[in-house]
Amino acid sequence: MSTRTASEERAVVIGLEVHVQLETDTKVFCGCSTEPADDEEPNTRTCPTCLGLPGALPVLNEAAVEAAVKIGKALDADIPETTTFHRKNYYYPDLPKNFQLTQYDAPICADGELEVSVDGERRTIGITRAHLEEDPGSIQHAGGSIESATHTLVNYNRAGTPLMEVVTEPDFRSPAETRAFLAKLEEVLEYLGVFDATRDGSLRVDANVSLVDADEVTEDGSVPEAVLADANRAEVKNISSHKGAEKALAYEITRQRNVLRRGREIEQETRHWDEGRGVTVSMRSKEAEKDYRYFREADLPALEVSDWKDRIPIPELPDARRERFRTEYGLDDEAASKLTSTKEVADFFEDVAGEYDPELAATWVADNLLGELNYREMEITDVTDRLDEFTRLVELVDAGELTVKNAEEVVLREMLDEGEDPESVIEREGLGKAESDEVETAVEAAIEENPDAVADYHDGDEGAINFLVGQVMQATGGSADPGQVNGLLRERLDG
Amino acid sequence: MTDTSDPDGESAGPDAGDADGDTKAGSGEPVVDAAEVEHVAELARVRLAEEETETFADQFAEILEYFEALDEVPDLDREEELVNVMRADEVEAGLAQEEALANAAETEDGFFKGPKVS
């Protein structure tokens, strides 16, 4: 390797290994439930198979395979004719069998891609492979930190939860791109219904990070393999969110730049992201030898599921749906993006838009509802069973029976805070649009009590009418319709 | 750490030697040498004394020789391999916590308890 000077510009190269838990009812090789145990009681979701007891045999969960095929379709990957399982041998208490059941040289998905958008720029990230495997159990280093612990406590409830490991090409050129990719991947997986982002530990990321001479980056943004092979990289483990990925990688890149600036070499090593301290720490473990002695799992017959690709449908994916929202409902980019942010929001919007003016529905769902939900740290899923109430609210506004202001600022908020239906909020707060008698009386009164404004209006001062409208609105407690009031006033004054 | 890991890091040398040994299995050269035994012991987190390493190297070689008997097995028609053996995604009753922990040497608050690891 040539000696580099500190002034040389360096380009960032990042590849990701993303582990996602698949949403199935049971574990991948046994019938144990994947539901979190009551009171998080340890070791209550196990059986001889996931405890690795002698003689127990794994049997593959069909739902996990279906989920994997769906992911393959969504990532535009190949599902090979034959796919097999291997044992990955390593000795650590989170694995009761001393090996992990995973896939090695014949993964269920290969050669896919996922398009992401970062600061308006489209980037296509290559997916090298995606394979099925079992989650290990969880261990606690008890009596201190990972370094100072006195003993280890092991819980195998998680052991055997189906995981998909998605491995990308080293196609990322910045931490921001990895964050956008992870958000997009989660979005796609949630659309597929195979993943629950709200579940603790459902996403775990390892990242390979290295710096190369900026000159080596080719025009299409790729880096020649020989250059990559030459660059020492750090593998950063223990990242558990998009935000965490961006922070961990920004830290690691700065660290590597500083090492090079001091004229030292980057060590090829595994580092641990310490979220609390915001730093990566060298793991210095012998595990670096990485001799997993993979061999074929004889207890699991091969899979031949390439034809499942035609058999298993997948829903419309976010990008396609966004595009359709633009063309079918005439929404702008921002509204289309907001309304497709999750499948639930998009479904909710389409239900409302099916009954009312799509533009009105878009405003109400994208701006009012999502805004108020966000403010309350609530999710669309908290109100999906109240779709009726929400459409009735839009209907009341649409029919002119409730002012937009009262609908937004009072009724919607009370609906969310108190769980009430719109009619009872309107009743309780007396927000039904004022009876016309009341409005007429208020209009008469406003004219009578404000001769100066009336004179100004007759002198051609258009602003005066707004003042009078304001007076009427005040007198009716905001329940009158400003447009109607304006009309009534002009009628009286001009007539 | 660098001192002990360097020989392993440079293991292209010894490993390549082993690979040669493997292909020449039965030709009289040592199939398993001490370095290989130490490597396997380390992966299995087993500490071996030096004389044990030698003993195991000899024993491994003997054990591997037994497998040569397989070369004598004539070709047979065999059953076709199974494919696509799967189960439905239905919850089955598993073990209660006491049952799961029944064979554990040590437990604490429902957890398996073991020595510290890093």
Side-chain angles (χ1 to χ4, degrees):
Chain A
M1 199 186 298
S2 63
T3 337
R4 289 162 180 156
T5 62
S7 63
E8 265 180 287
E9 243 190 270
R10 288 187 167 75
V12 174
V13 180
I14 304 167
L16 297 181
E17 289 169 22
V18 188
H19 295 84
V20 290
Q21 281 183 347
L22 299 178
E23 277 293 296
T24 54
D25 291 339
T26 65
K27 294 183 177 181
V28 61
F29 298 117
C30 62
C32 289
S33 171
T34 52
E35 278 288 299
D38 305 332
D39 312 323
E40 297 178 25
E41 193 60 33
N43 297 306
T44 51
R45 294 277 190 263
T46 65
C47 73
T49 302
C50 58
L51 283 181
L53 300 186
L57 289 174
V59 186
L60 186 57
N61 182 349
E62 187 168 8
V65 180
E66 282 184 5
V69 171
K70 284 182 186 173
I71 293 171
K73 274 180 89 163
L75 297 178
D76 203 12
D78 298 330
I79 311 286
E81 204 63 47
T82 305
T83 170
T84 53
F85 289 88
H86 275 68
R87 294 185 178 188
K88 176 181 180 177
N89 296 280
Y90 66 97
Y91 196 77
Y92 203 67
D94 60 359
L95 291 178
K97 305 188 290 290
N98 288 342
F99 61 83
Q100 181 188 28
L101 276 177
T102 181
Q103 300 195 280
Y104 183 52
D105 53 1
I108 190 160
C109 302
D111 215 1
E113 59 180 43
L114 186 65
E115 201 176 80
V116 296
S117 167
V118 186
D119 299 328
E121 195 197 338
R122 301 294 259 176
R123 293 267 287 122
T124 301
I125 304 300
I127 309 288
T128 316
R129 58 183 283 157
H131 67 252
L132 272 171
E133 62 185 27
E134 59 179 344
D135 211 348
S138 32
I139 63 174
Q140 290 174 25
H141 304 282
S145 72
I146 189 163
E147 299 293 332
S148 64
T150 53
H151 58 280
T152 306
L153 297 178
V154 193
N155 174 7
Y156 292 117
N157 283 349
R158 197 183 70 184
T161 300
L163 286 185
M164 195 78 179
E165 179 177 333
V166 179
V167 182
T168 77
E169 293 289 303
D171 284 347
F172 300 99
R173 295 290 165 268
S174 70
E177 286 182 3
T178 64
R179 180 178 178 170
F181 172 86
L182 292 169
K184 180 65 175 292
L185 182 66
E186 276 197 355
E187 185 184 70
V188 168
L189 296 174
E190 290 208 300
Y191 262 68
L192 294 174
V194 301
F195 175 71
D196 179 3
T198 62
R199 193 163 172 165
D200 210 24
S202 57
L203 175 91
R204 271 121 56 200
V205 182
D206 301 336
N208 284 298
V209 191
S210 53
L211 297 176
V212 298
D213 282 354
D215 294 343
E216 306 278 15
V217 180
T218 57
E219 248 173 56
D220 65 353
S222 67
V223 177
E225 252 169 62
V227 176
L228 285 178
D230 205 28
N232 274 355
R233 62 174 185 270
E235 183 178 12
V236 181
K237 288 181 170 286
N238 194 41
I239 300 169
S240 58
S241 68
H242 338 149
K243 239 188 259 175
E246 191 170 18
K247 275 196 256 174
L249 293 172
Y251 175 88
E252 178 59 20
I253 290 161
T254 306
R255 186 192 71 83
Q256 291 193 13
R257 283 192 200 283
N258 287 340
V259 169
L260 294 171
R261 198 165 293 144
R262 286 190 216 106
R264 298 216 287 264
E265 294 248 325
I266 304 295
E267 230 177 292
Q268 181 118 350
E269 60 174 351
T270 303
R271 300 181 69 85
H272 180 92
W273 167 240
D274 185 330
E275 177 103 47
R277 290 197 292 147
V279 296
T280 65
V281 189
S282 177
M283 283 175 82
R284 298 231 155 265
S285 73
K286 298 246 171 158
E287 201 206 339
E289 290 166 41
K290 288 239 171 109
D291 184 351
Y292 292 130
R293 295 157 294 160
Y294 282 96
F295 62 89
R296 193 50 215 283
E297 170 55 272
D299 292 335
L300 288 168
L303 279 182
E304 292 180 1
V305 293
S306 58
D307 59 321
W308 287 24
K309 223 178 163 179
D310 306 318
R311 186 165 74 76
I312 300 174
I314 60 170
E316 186 179 28
L317 294 175
D319 278 354
R321 200 162 192 186
R322 214 159 289 155
E323 187 51 40
R324 183 167 62 77
F325 277 18
R326 275 192 286 259
T327 52
E328 188 174 330
Y329 300 111
L331 303 180
D332 62 27
D333 285 357
E334 198 195 332
S337 290
K338 265 193 193 168
L339 290 170
T340 49
S341 58
T342 71
K343 187 171 181 295
E344 285 75 20
V345 170
D347 290 344
F348 197 97
F349 163 73
E350 290 215 274
D351 283 337
V352 182
E355 301 204 28
Y356 302 100
D357 174 28
E359 207 176 317
L360 186 70
T363 309
W364 271 89
V365 179
D367 298 337
N368 300 340
L369 181 60
L370 291 184
E372 295 293 335
L373 286 173
N374 190 34
Y375 179 70
R376 286 166 180 74
E377 293 189 357
M378 289 169 76
E379 300 286 338
I380 194 83
T381 44
D382 295 328
V383 294
T384 27
D385 56 345
R386 297 172 67 197
L387 179 69
D388 275 2
E389 293 176 20
F390 188 76
T391 46
R392 290 206 306 272
L393 176 63
V394 177
E395 188 180 359
L396 288 166
V397 178
D398 196 34
E401 287 173 40
L402 183 67
T403 63
V404 173
K405 188 171 173 350
N406 280 334
E408 282 174 10
E409 292 177 8
V410 185
V411 183
L412 179 59
R413 289 177 190 177
E414 292 294 304
M415 282 170 69
L416 296 177
D417 288 337
E418 307 297 331
E420 276 180 281
D421 61 39
E423 290 80 4
S424 50
V425 179
I426 291 166
E427 167 94 31
R428 180 162 52 76
E429 300 285 327
L431 297 174
K433 275 205 177 162
E435 295 293 324
S436 40
D437 280 1
E438 193 193 333
V439 178
E440 301 230 3
T441 314
V443 166
E444 299 286 354
I447 291 171
E448 207 152 302
E449 288 162 17
N450 299 287
D452 291 350
V454 173
D456 288 348
Y457 174 76
H458 286 305
D459 289 343
D461 179 0
E462 276 293 310
I465 196 93
N466 295 334
F467 172 78
L468 291 169
V469 171
Q471 296 299 304
V472 176
M473 294 306 291
Q474 207 174 347
T476 56
S479 64
D481 181 274
Q484 189 202 355
V485 171
N486 193 306
L488 283 171
L489 281 166
R490 286 179 193 278
E491 230 169 77
R492 294 280 190 297
L493 295 169
D494 298 341
Chain B
M1 151 124 194
T2 21
D3 282 348
T4 55
S5 68
D6 264 359
D8 288 328
E10 303 288 324
S11 63
D15 268 3
D18 288 346
D20 283 344
D22 283 342
T23 56
K24 285 179 207 155
S27 65
E29 288 184 28
V31 182
V32 179
D33 62 14
E36 178 110 40
V37 172
E38 277 163 20
H39 177 58
V40 172
E42 199 168 288
L43 290 170
R45 302 202 180 206
V46 176
R47 192 172 294 135
L48 295 181
E50 212 167 302
E51 61 272 19
E52 286 176 308
T53 308
E54 293 301 330
T55 311
F56 279 120
D58 292 344
Q59 288 185 0
F60 277 168
E62 269 174 52
I63 292 165
L64 289 173
E65 264 170 44
Y66 295 143
F67 284 90
E68 285 171 25
L70 292 174
D71 296 338
E72 310 293 316
V73 177
D75 284 340
L76 291 171
D77 290 335
R78 48 177 200 152
E79 300 270 327
E80 217 167 281
E81 297 252 0
L82 295 168
V83 290
N84 293 357
V85 179
M86 283 173 262
R87 40 169 274 273
D89 187 23
E90 282 158 17
V91 176
E92 289 159 34
L95 299 173
Q97 190 187 64
E98 316 74 76
E99 294 172 311
L101 298 173
N103 293 323
E106 279 193 74
T107 64
E108 186 176 304
D109 301 330
F111 291 92
F112 290 87
K113 184 178 177 184
K116 68 168 275 191
V117 288
S118 60

